[in-house]
Amino acid sequence: MKKLVAAMAAISIVSACNGAPPNEKILTDLCNDLFEGDARTAAMITGDTGTDLPTFCACFAAQTVADADKIDLYKDILVTMVEIQNADNLSVEATADRLEDKIESGEIEGFTEPDFEALGEYFEDVSIEMNEAGGTCPVS
């Protein structure tokens, strides 16, 4: 956990130097970290969006920071998912199942199952919007 906090702080500092808003950079990196190790899910995202994974993740992040109410919640969920995924080298689907189990057992209290489901729906909405825009990001 200490390594994750240090990494998040480093990401914030580096992203501030590179010009991207820190939250946008953090969300983009977390999205990429979650999906890039799962070839099946990454291929689904590529097919659904009409673009590559890094472009999808950048779009997801840009749209999330445009709605400030979602930033902290989605960062918390993604950080938790990446931690779970990395602990046992799980697919995204297995990570989601494990996360749901941890929410139900009370091991995770920072967000609820409906919050987690809302993130999944948000990923789907971004995918649909990008597909309809020919693989580009329609940031609102």
Side-chain angles (χ1 to χ4, degrees):
M1 187 65 171
K2 288 180 185 179
K3 288 181 182 180
L4 181 61
V5 172
M8 294 302 289
I11 288 170
S12 295
I13 292 167
V14 170
S15 64
C17 295
N18 291 334
N23 285 324
E24 190 171 337
K25 175 76 170 127
I26 292 167
L27 286 164
T28 299
D29 290 348
L30 287 168
C31 174
N32 278 308
D33 289 348
L34 179 65
F35 294 121
E36 70 186 0
D38 185 337
R40 181 178 163 268
T41 302
M44 286 179 8
I45 290 169
T46 300
D48 290 347
T49 62
T51 190
D52 60 11
L53 181 63
T55 302
F56 167 76
C57 286
C59 185
F60 156 75
Q63 288 196 15
T64 301
V65 298
D67 185 355
D69 292 342
K70 296 177 183 173
I71 297 170
D72 290 334
L73 175 62
Y74 288 177
K75 280 195 307 189
D76 288 347
I77 294 170
L78 288 171
V79 164
T80 303
M81 289 187 75
V82 170
E83 287 175 345
I84 291 169
Q85 183 182 48
N86 289 341
D88 293 318
N89 196 27
L90 300 173
S91 68
V92 173
E93 186 175 339
T95 299
D97 290 343
R98 180 91 39 96
L99 178 68
E100 288 174 343
D101 291 344
K102 288 178 175 280
I103 291 171
E104 289 173 10
S105 72
E107 289 179 64
I108 295 175
E109 297 178 357
F111 50 87
T112 64
E113 193 163 345
D115 293 332
F116 175 58
E117 290 170 0
L119 174 60
E121 291 169 10
Y122 194 68
F123 278 132
E124 189 173 320
D125 291 345
V126 172
S127 295
I128 291 167
E129 290 173 7
M130 289 187 76
N131 184 287
E132 290 172 353
T136 62
C137 185
V139 178
S140 38

